[in-house]
């Protein structure tokens, strides 16, 4: 496993960070276009301010009072304001479209979990490979990060990808990107999070796809997250109630095929069983009780670390949907109305 020093001397400082993705280049284009437009406006306004203050200074020969000819409204002023308004609306649309790209689409992406804690970044890959204060990703492949925090709010920031997302305790924030240029880039925490905030940094290594898969193999430590999650599921005796077999007495909902599906709650409201929902269901189980069941589950607050929660969720996600023939029993699917195979696409 590669451990990066706190300050990586191999990555030179640059005033404008390198652009390691097509997205980063687009953000730069937006940034410099906005900067250019602002410079032009400042120049125009400054010229007018200086020019007029000389032309109409005290005791200047020019008349300072020049009434508008009657019948003509302030057309020039309104025109100028509307013109600028439209231009900046255009910038707003441009910027929002770029921003929304960070949320990615519904494609199956390479998923990597990131947990921030004072003061380090812990990263786990799908095959169980882990790293601290570094993130290895393949070039040319869409990646989705699941970011959370174990203590306070941090912010995962990769300048070379023009990407920043808060790591908030108790929820999973996602961010998607496709790095295109191999190399090593800086990684920062961009939210003041305590004494050693400034040391909470590392590096991002963008590798070619074969190199990345080799790296994954070389760094695989222990079982994959879902396998660890399964062991946790048994160790915490979740399987005593969630028996996940068709013959169970249904004390608790069957978790098979649950991930990404809509679940009906006791209060009649539907909720999508995504990561955030599952996390809440484990930590505060009585907040959202599934229709048809009693609020019988104990809370696991304080018993599971953020990484263990991610592993448990990975296990639940890996459970295949139950077969169609058990649908007669409403308790089998926690009251959900149908068993559509939506779990793969709908998690975001
Ligand atoms: Cu973590 Cu600043």
């Amino acid at each position: 496993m590669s451990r990066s020093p706190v300050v990586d001397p191999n990555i030179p400082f640059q005033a404008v960070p390198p652009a390691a993705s097509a997205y980063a280049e687009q953000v730069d284009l937006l940034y410099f276009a906005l900067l250019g437009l602002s410079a032009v406006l400042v120049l125009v306004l400054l010229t007018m301010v200086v020019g007029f203050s000389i032309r109409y200074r005290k005791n200047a020969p020019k008349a300072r009072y020049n009434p508008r000819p009657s019948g003509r409204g302030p057309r020039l002023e309104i025109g100028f304001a509307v013109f600028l308004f439209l231009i900046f609306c255009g910038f707003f649309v441009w910027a929002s479209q770029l921003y929304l790209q960070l949320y990615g689409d519904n494609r199956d992406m390479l998923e990597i979990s990131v947990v921030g804690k004072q003061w380090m970044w812990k990263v786990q890959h799908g095959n169980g490979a882990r790293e601290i204060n570094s993130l290895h990703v393949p070039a040319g492949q869409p990646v989705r990060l699941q970011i959370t925090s174990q203590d306070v709010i941090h912010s995962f920031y990769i300048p070379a990808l023009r990407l920043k997302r808060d790591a908030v305790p108790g929820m999973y924030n996602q961010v998607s990107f496709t790095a295109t240029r191999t190399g090593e880039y800086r990684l920062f925490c961009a939210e003041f999070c305590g004494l050693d905030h400034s040391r909470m940094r590392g590096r991002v290594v963008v590798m070619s796809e074969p190199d990345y898969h080799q790296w994954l193999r070389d760094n695989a430590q222990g079982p994959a997250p879902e396998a660890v999650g399964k062991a946790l599921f048994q160790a915490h005796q979740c399987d005593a109630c969630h028996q996940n077999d068709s013959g169970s007495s249904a004390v608790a909902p069957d978790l098979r095929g649950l991930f990404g599906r809509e679940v009906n709650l006791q209060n009649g409201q539907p909720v999508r069983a995504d990561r955030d929902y599952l996390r809440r269901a484990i930590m505060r189980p009585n907040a959202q009780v599934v229709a048809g069941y009693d609020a019988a589950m104990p809370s696991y607050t304080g018993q599971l670390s953020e990484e263990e929660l991610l592993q448990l969720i990975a296990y639940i996600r890996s459970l295949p949907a139950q077969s169609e023939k058990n649908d007669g029993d409403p308790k089998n699917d926690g009251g959900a109305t149908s068993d559509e195979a939506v779990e793969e696409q709908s998690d975001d």
Side-chain angles (χ1 to χ4, degrees):
M1 174 173 160
S2 56
R3 284 186 188 283
S4 68
V6 171
V7 177
D8 200 325
N10 297 321
I11 309 175
F13 172 78
Q14 285 170 278
V16 177
S21 65
Y23 176 79
E25 284 162 18
Q26 290 171 36
V27 172
D28 284 0
L29 189 63
L30 169 71
Y31 176 76
F32 286 112
L34 200 52
L35 201 63
L37 178 67
S38 305
V40 168
L41 285 178
V42 165
L43 208 68
V44 168
L45 293 176
L46 214 62
T47 310
M48 286 165 79
V49 167
V50 173
F52 288 154
S53 58
I54 293 172
R55 188 168 177 181
Y56 298 113
R57 69 191 181 280
K58 199 178 176 189
N59 300 329
K62 278 275 175 196
R64 294 171 75 182
Y65 181 65
N66 185 15
R68 188 179 285 121
S70 63
R72 264 181 54 189
R75 271 189 272 175
L76 181 70
E77 291 86 341
I78 290 177
F80 190 64
V82 169
F83 172 72
L84 280 183
F85 176 73
L86 290 179
I87 291 223
F88 279 98
C89 279
F91 270 94
F92 172 74
V93 172
W94 182 4
S96 335
Q97 277 184 342
L98 270 182
Y99 179 70
L100 289 176
Q101 281 184 29
L102 285 179
Y103 285 95
D105 45 36
N106 288 332
R107 264 182 304 169
D108 256 350
M109 295 186 182
L110 183 70
E111 287 209 351
I112 301 176
S113 310
V114 176
V115 178
K117 77 175 270 212
Q118 289 170 323
W119 287 275
M120 64 178 79
W121 293 109
K122 294 164 124 185
V123 173
Q124 182 154 22
H125 297 258
N127 75 335
R130 294 152 180 263
E131 48 187 335
I132 288 176
N133 288 342
S134 70
L135 170 67
H136 286 73
V137 290
Q141 195 182 335
V143 174
R144 182 182 291 130
L145 302 178
Q146 301 287 349
I147 303 173
T148 189
S149 164
Q150 199 164 314
D151 37 43
V152 299
I153 299 178
H154 304 273
S155 187
F156 193 77
Y157 178 34
I158 308 172
L161 297 172
R162 310 293 187 267
L163 168 163
K164 180 156 66 177
R165 180 70 85 231
D166 279 1
V168 182
M171 64 186 277
Y172 297 109
N173 276 341
Q174 296 168 2
V175 68
S176 308
F177 64 90
T178 307
T180 44
R181 260 179 53 190
T182 56
E184 293 198 9
Y185 306 99
R186 290 178 187 277
L187 161 65
F188 293 104
C189 176
E191 183 79 54
F192 181 65
C193 56
L195 192 64
D196 275 343
H197 156 72
S198 63
R199 292 171 65 85
M200 193 169 162
R201 49 189 174 175
R203 65 189 180 136
V204 175
V205 184
V206 180
M207 317 169 94
S208 70
E209 231 170 298
D211 285 355
Y212 173 72
H213 289 293
Q214 185 61 45
W215 181 90
L216 273 187
R217 279 194 293 276
D218 293 347
N219 289 274
Q221 303 170 326
E226 53 266 32
V228 184
K230 184 176 185 182
L232 284 168
F233 195 80
Q234 289 158 349
H236 288 278
Q237 290 167 359
C238 311
D239 52 354
C241 298
H242 296 280
Q243 293 180 345
N244 297 346
D245 61 51
S246 44
S248 78
S249 52
V251 179
D254 190 329
L255 303 179
R256 289 175 299 169
L258 170 69
F259 194 91
R261 212 173 55 190
E262 215 155 75
V263 172
N264 286 325
L265 301 179
Q266 247 177 16
N267 63 10
Q269 284 182 339
V271 61
R272 189 165 291 286
D274 56 9
R275 282 181 182 75
D276 283 307
Y277 167 77
L278 291 177
R279 189 187 187 286
R280 278 196 302 275
I282 297 168
M283 302 305 258
R284 293 188 291 125
N286 296 337
Q288 291 180 308
V289 180
V290 174
Y293 294 93
D294 295 328
M297 179 168 157
S299 163
Y300 287 83
T301 303
Q303 297 184 44
L304 294 162
S305 71
E306 286 303 326
E307 282 157 304
E308 288 175 328
L309 274 165
L310 282 167
Q311 288 155 344
L312 263 179
I313 293 171
Y315 168 62
I316 293 170
R317 191 185 185 188
S318 73
L319 293 170
Q322 67 212 80
S323 61
E324 295 288 324
K325 50 182 175 287
N326 296 322
D327 270 7
D329 180 355
K331 287 190 169 185
N332 264 340
D333 58 3
T337 47
S338 78
D339 225 4
E340 307 153 71
V342 292
E343 61 277 346
E344 271 313 307
Q345 286 85 33
S346 57
D347 54 307
D348 305 301

